Amino acid sequence: MAHTSQPLRRGAALLASTVAALGLLTACGNGGQGKSPESVSGTAAPATGNASSADTSGTSAVPSGTGSSPASQTGASATGGGSSTGGTTTGTAAAAGTRCHTSELTASVGGNDPGAGQENFPIVLTNKSGRTCTVRGFPGAAFVNAAGTQLGPDPQRESGSTAATVTLKPGQSAWAGLTFSSPEISGAKTATPAALLVTPPDEKDSLKVTWKNGAVPVSGNASSVRLNVFSAGTGA
């Protein structure tokens, strides 16, 4: 029995050596890694272009123009000449609720008060309503032909003095100067308007006044028409 067990032990040792050798060859065949690559989780999803984009709609719109002169503007004292009667001028801004609206006013153009090569006309607004209201600042103005087409550029605003609030009781008036260089002296090109459109301060609607004072400058040398702020009275 002792003679037989020794060969068996040698056989078992040889078998173990063979298995170990096969294992080494297998590891070399796999590049020496000894295990499969790990799978990585959490892969990012494709970008959609919609993430965290700020909403830029609803931007405040710029207010449209009214065609009239803001009541807060300033300008030189009017040059239409004459005494100021009717109405009260104050140095404080009027409350919005007291402003004279176009429908509460009538408009007219006074006589020419020429001087130093200038033609000077008072634009007069009269309170026809049954309440007291106010005007402050520049009027809007435009010369137009019979078809309503504007003649020449927009009048310019004179600068120099602060506008005052003019309080108008029913029947009282305020006036603003309209001035231009005499075309006969300046050599400006002229046209004869059919009417002058007058827009009260801070209003959208205009009042139409028939123009009876001849040609006005519309282009060329010294063709600018200028406007002054409102003062109490008629400018006569």
Side-chain angles (χ1 to χ4, degrees):
M1 290 294 294
H3 178 74
T4 303
S5 62
Q6 184 174 1
L8 290 176
R9 288 197 293 271
R10 285 198 298 269
L14 180 60
L15 179 61
S17 297
T18 301
V19 172
L22 290 175
L24 179 61
L25 289 174
T26 303
C28 290
N30 289 336
Q33 296 178 9
K35 63 178 180 179
S36 302
E38 295 180 359
S39 62
V40 180
S41 62
T43 305
T48 62
N50 295 326
S52 302
S53 59
D55 184 5
T56 56
S57 63
T59 304
S60 297
V62 178
S64 61
T66 64
S68 61
S69 304
S72 61
Q73 296 293 329
T74 61
S77 56
T79 57
S83 60
S84 297
T85 59
T88 301
T89 302
T90 65
T92 59
T98 67
R99 187 180 78 242
C100 295
H101 300 294
T102 302
S103 61
E104 299 175 306
L105 300 166
T106 60
S108 61
V109 176
N112 186 15
D113 182 26
Q118 299 290 315
E119 308 295 326
N120 305 303
F121 299 91
I123 297 175
V124 182
L125 294 180
T126 300
N127 181 4
K128 69 175 184 178
S129 74
R131 74 177 185 108
T132 298
C133 61
T134 62
V135 294
R136 178 184 175 90
F138 294 91
F143 289 112
V144 295
N145 61 19
T149 302
Q150 182 171 335
L151 302 174
D154 292 336
Q156 298 178 358
R157 295 172 177 177
E158 291 279 16
S159 60
S161 65
T162 303
T165 300
V166 183
T167 300
L168 301 178
K169 295 179 180 179
Q172 291 186 328
S173 301
W175 71 283
L178 181 148
T179 303
F180 54 84
S181 297
S182 173
E184 296 178 357
I185 297 175
S186 68
K189 295 181 180 180
T190 64
T192 301
L196 176 69
L197 300 183
V198 178
T199 309
D202 283 344
E203 290 292 298
K204 296 180 180 180
D205 298 326
S206 299
L207 298 166
K208 191 174 186 178
V209 182
T210 301
W211 183 256
K212 302 177 180 180
N213 298 287
V216 301
V218 294
S219 66
N221 296 334
S223 61
S224 296
V225 177
R226 297 178 300 280
L227 293 170
N228 291 293
V229 294
F230 278 105
S231 300
T234 62

